[in-house]
Amino acid sequence: MPPAPVRWCMALVRWFPVVFITAVVVWSYYAYVIYMCFVSGVVDTVAEQVILLLLYHPFFLFFGWSYWQAIYTEPGKTPKQFYLSEQDVARFESSENEEQQRQILAKLVRDRNLPVQCRTATGAYRYCEKCKCIKPDRAHHCSMCGTCILKMDHHCPWVNNCVSFTNYKFFVIFLGYALLYCLYVTLTVLKYFIRFWTQGGFHNDLGRFHILFLFFASVMFSISLISLFGYHVFLTLHNRSTLESFRAPIFRTGPDKNGFSLGKRANFQEIFGDDRKKWFLPVFTSLGDGLSFPTRVDANVASSYNTMSETNPATASPSFGDGVTYPTRTEDIDSDTLLGARQRWAEEGGEEETSPVGTSKVHLINER
């Protein structure tokens, strides 16, 4: 661990992206509300000023509110019951082979009745060597936060926070309101931007700078936000995290990238909740506890039971298989092992690989 002064400097540097975004937003408020609508005189009538300001402030309010929630909502951390005791850690680390380690973890899961379904490629329960805990489903270790985070999506530098179960809704609607805010500014400033190029209309360089930079900045942010927001809408509707889009979660029956997908409506409600009035408000409405999640298998079983109750057994189609073994999918197989030096998927640091959306970081590390 680095010395305290280094840690303080690193923590300070991590706030730079947030300070930058905040400064741009504060400046945009001054340029749009104070300068364009009042000082510059380019807005033709009082009625036009009132309309612009009445429409502007809701976008600004919800954008700022959701951004605040994404930044300051504590990411969900792994509960104590998932951590191994000192005796269990000593017994686990002194094990002679991987099979003994697998048995120790399996016994702890049974004894503590932990709601764990996801496994490694070898069939063992996922274990974090840094936190000394059994990882809950969809949880991953974040090197920036220094702990295992529930349903971790990624650590976002623009909010200086881990996007996870507790604030994923806030992050998604922050992207949505940021996009709406930028589009609104772009469309309403376009008229005065065209007037500048065709008729002049500005008596000093300061007014020219504010209008031109406001237009170009809102256009550039809109373009980048469209792809990022669209990507997270896709993840929401398919019930995947950014990490799971790179590597499928592994269940007892094998890896399945759509293992947590319950259908687009149910996937949406799992994050945004059942109350439609609160869907697009920056308040927590996600379903569940962040530890256990319904799976596609659960949904199919429930559907099968409902269908069986309405079906005549005499005319029902026969079932196939032995009810014990099932076909498995072979995509994105995890190569995790409890012992050995294979390449692991992790979030503990190491070589960074930029995600397709340009902001999320996915980390690959060779542990030995």
Side-chain angles (χ1 to χ4, degrees), residues 235-278:
L235 294 179
T236 297
L237 296 179
H238 289 81
N239 207 338
R240 297 177 197 165
S241 66
T242 298
L243 296 176
E244 290 167 351
S245 70
F246 282 88
R247 191 206 65 182
I250 301 176
F251 301 88
R252 184 174 58 84
T253 55
D256 188 352
K257 186 168 287 189
N258 296 314
F260 293 107
S261 181
L262 309 174
K264 289 182 172 56
R265 181 178 179 83
N267 294 339
F268 178 87
Q269 289 181 330
E270 186 172 303
I271 295 173
F272 286 82
D274 296 326
D275 190 348
R276 296 185 178 184
K277 297 178 182 178
K278 297 180 181 179

Short mmCIF file of all heavy atoms in Angstrom, two decimals, residues 235-278:
data_model
loop_
_atom_site.label_atom_id
_atom_site.label_comp_id
_atom_site.label_asym_id
_atom_site.label_seq_id
_atom_site.Cartn_x
_atom_site.Cartn_y
_atom_site.Cartn_z
N LEU A 235 -27.80 -2.40 -22.22
CA LEU A 235 -27.47 -3.25 -21.08
C LEU A 235 -28.65 -3.39 -20.13
O LEU A 235 -28.91 -4.48 -19.60
CB LEU A 235 -26.27 -2.67 -20.33
CG LEU A 235 -24.93 -2.66 -21.05
CD1 LEU A 235 -23.85 -2.04 -20.17
CD2 LEU A 235 -24.51 -4.05 -21.49
N THR A 236 -29.37 -2.29 -19.91
CA THR A 236 -30.53 -2.33 -19.01
C THR A 236 -31.59 -3.29 -19.53
O THR A 236 -32.13 -4.11 -18.78
CB THR A 236 -31.12 -0.92 -18.85
OG1 THR A 236 -30.15 -0.06 -18.24
CG2 THR A 236 -32.38 -0.95 -18.00
N LEU A 237 -31.91 -3.20 -20.81
CA LEU A 237 -32.96 -4.03 -21.39
C LEU A 237 -32.57 -5.50 -21.47
O LEU A 237 -33.44 -6.37 -21.58
CB LEU A 237 -33.34 -3.50 -22.77
CG LEU A 237 -33.97 -2.10 -22.80
CD1 LEU A 237 -34.28 -1.68 -24.22
CD2 LEU A 237 -35.22 -2.04 -21.93
N HIS A 238 -31.27 -5.78 -21.43
CA HIS A 238 -30.80 -7.17 -21.46
C HIS A 238 -30.30 -7.65 -20.10
O HIS A 238 -29.81 -8.77 -19.98
CB HIS A 238 -29.68 -7.33 -22.51
CG HIS A 238 -30.17 -7.23 -23.92
ND1 HIS A 238 -30.41 -6.01 -24.53
CD2 HIS A 238 -30.46 -8.19 -24.84
CE1 HIS A 238 -30.83 -6.23 -25.77
NE2 HIS A 238 -30.87 -7.53 -25.98
N ASN A 239 -30.44 -6.79 -19.09
CA ASN A 239 -30.06 -7.13 -17.72
C ASN A 239 -28.61 -7.62 -17.65
O ASN A 239 -28.32 -8.69 -17.10
CB ASN A 239 -30.99 -8.19 -17.13
CG ASN A 239 -31.07 -8.09 -15.62
OD1 ASN A 239 -30.19 -7.55 -14.97
ND2 ASN A 239 -32.15 -8.63 -15.06
N ARG A 240 -27.71 -6.83 -18.18
CA ARG A 240 -26.29 -7.13 -18.11
C ARG A 240 -25.56 -5.93 -17.53
O ARG A 240 -26.00 -4.80 -17.68
CB ARG A 240 -25.70 -7.41 -19.50
CG ARG A 240 -26.26 -8.62 -20.22
CD ARG A 240 -25.64 -8.73 -21.60
NE ARG A 240 -26.41 -9.62 -22.46
CZ ARG A 240 -26.27 -9.68 -23.78
NH1 ARG A 240 -25.37 -8.91 -24.37
NH2 ARG A 240 -27.01 -10.50 -24.49
N SER A 241 -24.45 -6.18 -16.92
CA SER A 241 -23.54 -5.12 -16.54
C SER A 241 -22.48 -4.98 -17.63
O SER A 241 -22.38 -5.83 -18.52
CB SER A 241 -22.88 -5.43 -15.20
OG SER A 241 -22.03 -6.56 -15.32
N THR A 242 -21.69 -3.92 -17.56
CA THR A 242 -20.61 -3.75 -18.53
C THR A 242 -19.64 -4.92 -18.45
O THR A 242 -19.17 -5.43 -19.48
CB THR A 242 -19.86 -2.43 -18.28
OG1 THR A 242 -20.78 -1.34 -18.44
CG2 THR A 242 -18.71 -2.26 -19.25
N LEU A 243 -19.31 -5.37 -17.24
CA LEU A 243 -18.41 -6.51 -17.08
C LEU A 243 -19.01 -7.78 -17.68
O LEU A 243 -18.31 -8.56 -18.32
CB LEU A 243 -18.09 -6.72 -15.61
CG LEU A 243 -17.31 -5.58 -14.93
CD1 LEU A 243 -17.15 -5.86 -13.44
CD2 LEU A 243 -15.96 -5.37 -15.58
N GLU A 244 -20.31 -7.99 -17.48
CA GLU A 244 -20.95 -9.19 -18.01
C GLU A 244 -21.08 -9.17 -19.52
O GLU A 244 -21.19 -10.22 -20.15
CB GLU A 244 -22.33 -9.36 -17.36
CG GLU A 244 -22.26 -9.73 -15.90
CD GLU A 244 -23.59 -9.58 -15.19
OE1 GLU A 244 -24.54 -9.02 -15.80
OE2 GLU A 244 -23.69 -9.99 -14.02
N SER A 245 -21.06 -7.97 -20.11
CA SER A 245 -21.10 -7.89 -21.57
C SER A 245 -19.78 -8.34 -22.18
O SER A 245 -19.72 -8.74 -23.34
CB SER A 245 -21.43 -6.47 -22.02
OG SER A 245 -20.36 -5.59 -21.75
N PHE A 246 -18.70 -8.28 -21.41
CA PHE A 246 -17.40 -8.75 -21.88
C PHE A 246 -17.20 -10.24 -21.60
O PHE A 246 -16.53 -10.93 -22.35
CB PHE A 246 -16.27 -7.96 -21.21
CG PHE A 246 -16.06 -6.61 -21.81
CD1 PHE A 246 -16.77 -5.52 -21.36
CD2 PHE A 246 -15.15 -6.42 -22.83
CE1 PHE A 246 -16.58 -4.26 -21.89
CE2 PHE A 246 -14.95 -5.18 -23.38
CZ PHE A 246 -15.66 -4.09 -22.92
N ARG A 247 -17.74 -10.70 -20.47
CA ARG A 247 -17.62 -12.10 -20.13
C ARG A 247 -18.89 -12.58 -19.48
O ARG A 247 -19.38 -11.99 -18.52
CB ARG A 247 -16.45 -12.33 -19.18
CG ARG A 247 -16.11 -13.81 -19.02
CD ARG A 247 -15.45 -14.09 -17.68
NE ARG A 247 -16.38 -13.83 -16.58
CZ ARG A 247 -16.04 -13.95 -15.31
NH1 ARG A 247 -14.82 -14.26 -14.99
NH2 ARG A 247 -16.94 -13.71 -14.36
N ALA A 248 -19.44 -13.66 -20.02
CA ALA A 248 -20.71 -14.16 -19.52
C ALA A 248 -20.57 -14.71 -18.11
O ALA A 248 -19.56 -15.34 -17.78
CB ALA A 248 -21.23 -15.27 -20.44
N PRO A 249 -21.55 -14.45 -17.24
CA PRO A 249 -21.52 -15.09 -15.92
C PRO A 249 -21.67 -16.60 -16.07
O PRO A 249 -22.32 -17.09 -16.98
CB PRO A 249 -22.74 -14.47 -15.21
CG PRO A 249 -23.63 -14.01 -16.31
CD PRO A 249 -22.73 -13.61 -17.44
N ILE A 250 -21.04 -17.32 -15.18
CA ILE A 250 -21.03 -18.78 -15.26
C ILE A 250 -21.92 -19.34 -14.14
O ILE A 250 -21.74 -19.01 -12.97
CB ILE A 250 -19.60 -19.34 -15.12
CG1 ILE A 250 -18.73 -18.77 -16.23
CG2 ILE A 250 -19.60 -20.87 -15.18
CD1 ILE A 250 -17.27 -19.18 -16.14
N PHE A 251 -22.87 -20.18 -14.55
CA PHE A 251 -23.78 -20.82 -13.60
C PHE A 251 -23.38 -22.28 -13.45
O PHE A 251 -22.43 -22.75 -14.07
CB PHE A 251 -25.22 -20.69 -14.08
CG PHE A 251 -25.68 -19.26 -14.25
CD1 PHE A 251 -25.49 -18.59 -15.45
CD2 PHE A 251 -26.28 -18.58 -13.21
CE1 PHE A 251 -25.90 -17.27 -15.62
CE2 PHE A 251 -26.69 -17.26 -13.35
CZ PHE A 251 -26.50 -16.62 -14.56
N ARG A 252 -24.12 -22.99 -12.64
CA ARG A 252 -23.84 -24.42 -12.45
C ARG A 252 -23.94 -25.19 -13.76
O ARG A 252 -23.25 -26.19 -13.96
CB ARG A 252 -24.81 -25.01 -11.42
CG ARG A 252 -24.56 -26.46 -11.05
CD ARG A 252 -25.47 -26.91 -9.93
NE ARG A 252 -26.87 -26.74 -10.29
CZ ARG A 252 -27.56 -27.64 -11.00
NH1 ARG A 252 -26.98 -28.75 -11.41
NH2 ARG A 252 -28.83 -27.42 -11.28
N THR A 253 -24.79 -24.71 -14.65
CA THR A 253 -24.98 -25.39 -15.93
C THR A 253 -24.09 -24.84 -17.03
O THR A 253 -24.18 -25.28 -18.17
CB THR A 253 -26.45 -25.26 -16.37
OG1 THR A 253 -26.82 -23.87 -16.39
CG2 THR A 253 -27.36 -26.01 -15.42
N GLY A 254 -23.26 -23.84 -16.72
CA GLY A 254 -22.35 -23.31 -17.73
C GLY A 254 -22.51 -21.81 -17.90
O GLY A 254 -23.37 -21.18 -17.28
N PRO A 255 -21.67 -21.20 -18.75
CA PRO A 255 -21.75 -19.75 -18.97
C PRO A 255 -22.99 -19.38 -19.77
O PRO A 255 -23.38 -20.09 -20.69
CB PRO A 255 -20.46 -19.45 -19.76
CG PRO A 255 -20.12 -20.74 -20.42
CD PRO A 255 -20.57 -21.83 -19.50
N ASP A 256 -23.60 -18.28 -19.43
CA ASP A 256 -24.80 -17.81 -20.13
C ASP A 256 -24.87 -16.29 -20.02
O ASP A 256 -25.13 -15.75 -18.95
CB ASP A 256 -26.05 -18.44 -19.51
CG ASP A 256 -27.31 -18.15 -20.33
OD1 ASP A 256 -27.23 -17.32 -21.26
OD2 ASP A 256 -28.36 -18.74 -20.03
N LYS A 257 -24.62 -15.62 -21.13
CA LYS A 257 -24.62 -14.16 -21.13
C LYS A 257 -26.01 -13.60 -20.85
O LYS A 257 -26.16 -12.48 -20.35
CB LYS A 257 -24.10 -13.65 -22.47
CG LYS A 257 -23.92 -12.13 -22.53
CD LYS A 257 -23.13 -11.70 -23.76
CE LYS A 257 -21.67 -12.04 -23.60
NZ LYS A 257 -20.83 -11.45 -24.68
N ASN A 258 -27.05 -14.37 -21.15
CA ASN A 258 -28.43 -13.93 -20.91
C ASN A 258 -29.03 -14.58 -19.67
O ASN A 258 -30.25 -14.63 -19.51
CB ASN A 258 -29.30 -14.25 -22.14
CG ASN A 258 -28.86 -13.48 -23.37
OD1 ASN A 258 -28.61 -12.29 -23.30
ND2 ASN A 258 -28.76 -14.17 -24.50
N GLY A 259 -28.16 -15.08 -18.79
CA GLY A 259 -28.65 -15.83 -17.64
C GLY A 259 -29.55 -15.03 -16.71
O GLY A 259 -30.46 -15.57 -16.09
N PHE A 260 -29.32 -13.70 -16.60
CA PHE A 260 -30.14 -12.87 -15.71
C PHE A 260 -31.25 -12.13 -16.45
O PHE A 260 -31.96 -11.33 -15.84
CB PHE A 260 -29.24 -11.86 -14.99
CG PHE A 260 -28.28 -12.48 -14.02
CD1 PHE A 260 -26.93 -12.56 -14.32
CD2 PHE A 260 -28.72 -13.01 -12.82
CE1 PHE A 260 -26.03 -13.13 -13.44
CE2 PHE A 260 -27.84 -13.59 -11.93
CZ PHE A 260 -26.49 -13.65 -12.24
N SER A 261 -31.38 -12.37 -17.73
CA SER A 261 -32.38 -11.66 -18.52
C SER A 261 -33.76 -12.30 -18.34
O SER A 261 -33.93 -13.51 -18.54
CB SER A 261 -32.00 -11.68 -20.01
OG SER A 261 -32.96 -10.98 -20.78
N LEU A 262 -34.74 -11.50 -17.95
CA LEU A 262 -36.11 -11.98 -17.70
C LEU A 262 -37.11 -11.43 -18.71
O LEU A 262 -38.31 -11.53 -18.50
CB LEU A 262 -36.54 -11.57 -16.29
CG LEU A 262 -35.58 -11.91 -15.15
CD1 LEU A 262 -36.09 -11.32 -13.84
CD2 LEU A 262 -35.41 -13.41 -15.02
N GLY A 263 -36.62 -10.82 -19.78
CA GLY A 263 -37.49 -10.11 -20.71
C GLY A 263 -37.31 -8.61 -20.51
O GLY A 263 -37.03 -8.15 -19.39
N LYS A 264 -37.47 -7.85 -21.56
CA LYS A 264 -37.14 -6.42 -21.53
C LYS A 264 -37.92 -5.66 -20.46
O LYS A 264 -37.36 -4.81 -19.76
CB LYS A 264 -37.36 -5.80 -22.90
CG LYS A 264 -36.34 -6.24 -23.94
CD LYS A 264 -36.56 -5.56 -25.27
CE LYS A 264 -35.42 -5.85 -26.25
NZ LYS A 264 -35.18 -7.28 -26.45
N ARG A 265 -39.20 -5.94 -20.31
CA ARG A 265 -39.98 -5.21 -19.31
C ARG A 265 -39.51 -5.54 -17.90
O ARG A 265 -39.31 -4.65 -17.07
CB ARG A 265 -41.47 -5.54 -19.47
CG ARG A 265 -42.35 -4.79 -18.47
CD ARG A 265 -43.84 -5.10 -18.68
NE ARG A 265 -44.65 -4.39 -17.71
CZ ARG A 265 -45.05 -3.13 -17.83
NH1 ARG A 265 -44.70 -2.42 -18.89
NH2 ARG A 265 -45.79 -2.57 -16.90
N ALA A 266 -39.34 -6.84 -17.61
CA ALA A 266 -38.89 -7.24 -16.28
C ALA A 266 -37.47 -6.76 -16.01
O ALA A 266 -37.14 -6.37 -14.88
CB ALA A 266 -38.97 -8.76 -16.14
N ASN A 267 -36.63 -6.76 -17.03
CA ASN A 267 -35.27 -6.25 -16.86
C ASN A 267 -35.28 -4.77 -16.51
O ASN A 267 -34.53 -4.31 -15.64
CB ASN A 267 -34.46 -6.46 -18.14
CG ASN A 267 -34.23 -7.94 -18.44
OD1 ASN A 267 -34.31 -8.78 -17.55
ND2 ASN A 267 -33.92 -8.25 -19.69
N PHE A 268 -36.13 -4.02 -17.20
CA PHE A 268 -36.25 -2.58 -16.93
C PHE A 268 -36.75 -2.34 -15.50
O PHE A 268 -36.22 -1.51 -14.77
CB PHE A 268 -37.19 -1.95 -17.95
CG PHE A 268 -37.44 -0.48 -17.73
CD1 PHE A 268 -36.58 0.46 -18.27
CD2 PHE A 268 -38.52 -0.04 -16.98
CE1 PHE A 268 -36.80 1.83 -18.07
CE2 PHE A 268 -38.75 1.32 -16.77
CZ PHE A 268 -37.88 2.24 -17.33
N GLN A 269 -37.75 -3.11 -15.08
CA GLN A 269 -38.33 -2.92 -13.75
C GLN A 269 -37.36 -3.34 -12.65
O GLN A 269 -37.42 -2.79 -11.55
CB GLN A 269 -39.63 -3.71 -13.63
CG GLN A 269 -40.77 -3.13 -14.44
CD GLN A 269 -42.05 -3.92 -14.30
OE1 GLN A 269 -42.01 -5.13 -14.09
NE2 GLN A 269 -43.18 -3.25 -14.40
N GLU A 270 -36.47 -4.27 -12.93
CA GLU A 270 -35.50 -4.68 -11.91
C GLU A 270 -34.61 -3.50 -11.51
O GLU A 270 -34.18 -3.41 -10.36
CB GLU A 270 -34.65 -5.83 -12.43
CG GLU A 270 -33.72 -6.41 -11.38
CD GLU A 270 -33.02 -7.67 -11.83
OE1 GLU A 270 -33.75 -8.64 -12.19
OE2 GLU A 270 -31.78 -7.70 -11.82
N ILE A 271 -34.35 -2.59 -12.43
CA ILE A 271 -33.50 -1.43 -12.15
C ILE A 271 -34.34 -0.21 -11.79
O ILE A 271 -33.99 0.53 -10.85
CB ILE A 271 -32.61 -1.12 -13.36
CG1 ILE A 271 -31.63 -2.27 -13.58
CG2 ILE A 271 -31.86 0.20 -13.17
CD1 ILE A 271 -30.81 -2.15 -14.83
N PHE A 272 -35.46 0.01 -12.46
CA PHE A 272 -36.25 1.23 -12.26
C PHE A 272 -37.44 1.03 -11.32
O PHE A 272 -38.07 2.01 -10.93
CB PHE A 272 -36.73 1.77 -13.61
CG PHE A 272 -35.64 2.42 -14.41
CD1 PHE A 272 -34.77 1.66 -15.16
CD2 PHE A 272 -35.47 3.79 -14.39
CE1 PHE A 272 -33.75 2.26 -15.89
CE2 PHE A 272 -34.46 4.40 -15.11
CZ PHE A 272 -33.59 3.62 -15.87
N GLY A 273 -37.76 -0.20 -10.97
CA GLY A 273 -38.81 -0.44 -10.00
C GLY A 273 -40.19 -0.60 -10.61
O GLY A 273 -40.38 -0.55 -11.83
N ASP A 274 -41.18 -0.79 -9.73
CA ASP A 274 -42.56 -1.03 -10.15
C ASP A 274 -43.40 0.24 -10.21
O ASP A 274 -44.45 0.26 -10.85
CB ASP A 274 -43.24 -2.02 -9.19
CG ASP A 274 -42.59 -3.39 -9.23
OD1 ASP A 274 -42.13 -3.79 -10.33
OD2 ASP A 274 -42.52 -4.05 -8.18
N ASP A 275 -42.98 1.28 -9.54
CA ASP A 275 -43.76 2.52 -9.47
C ASP A 275 -43.40 3.42 -10.64
O ASP A 275 -42.32 4.00 -10.69
CB ASP A 275 -43.48 3.24 -8.15
CG ASP A 275 -44.42 4.41 -7.91
OD1 ASP A 275 -45.15 4.80 -8.85
OD2 ASP A 275 -44.44 4.94 -6.78
N ARG A 276 -44.32 3.53 -11.59
CA ARG A 276 -44.04 4.30 -12.80
C ARG A 276 -43.78 5.77 -12.50
O ARG A 276 -43.05 6.44 -13.25
CB ARG A 276 -45.21 4.17 -13.78
CG ARG A 276 -45.43 2.76 -14.30
CD ARG A 276 -46.52 2.73 -15.36
NE ARG A 276 -46.71 1.39 -15.90
CZ ARG A 276 -47.55 1.10 -16.89
NH1 ARG A 276 -48.29 2.08 -17.44
NH2 ARG A 276 -47.65 -0.13 -17.33
N LYS A 277 -44.39 6.29 -11.45
CA LYS A 277 -44.21 7.70 -11.12
C LYS A 277 -42.76 8.02 -10.73
O LYS A 277 -42.35 9.17 -10.82
CB LYS A 277 -45.16 8.09 -9.99
CG LYS A 277 -46.64 7.95 -10.34
CD LYS A 277 -47.51 8.31 -9.15
CE LYS A 277 -48.99 8.14 -9.48
NZ LYS A 277 -49.85 8.44 -8.31
N LYS A 278 -42.03 7.00 -10.30
CA LYS A 278 -40.67 7.24 -9.83
C LYS A 278 -39.60 6.71 -10.81
O LYS A 278 -38.42 6.75 -10.49
CB LYS A 278 -40.46 6.57 -8.47
CG LYS A 278 -41.35 7.15 -7.37
CD LYS A 278 -41.09 6.45 -6.05
CE LYS A 278 -41.98 7.01 -4.95
NZ LYS A 278 -41.75 6.31 -3.66
#
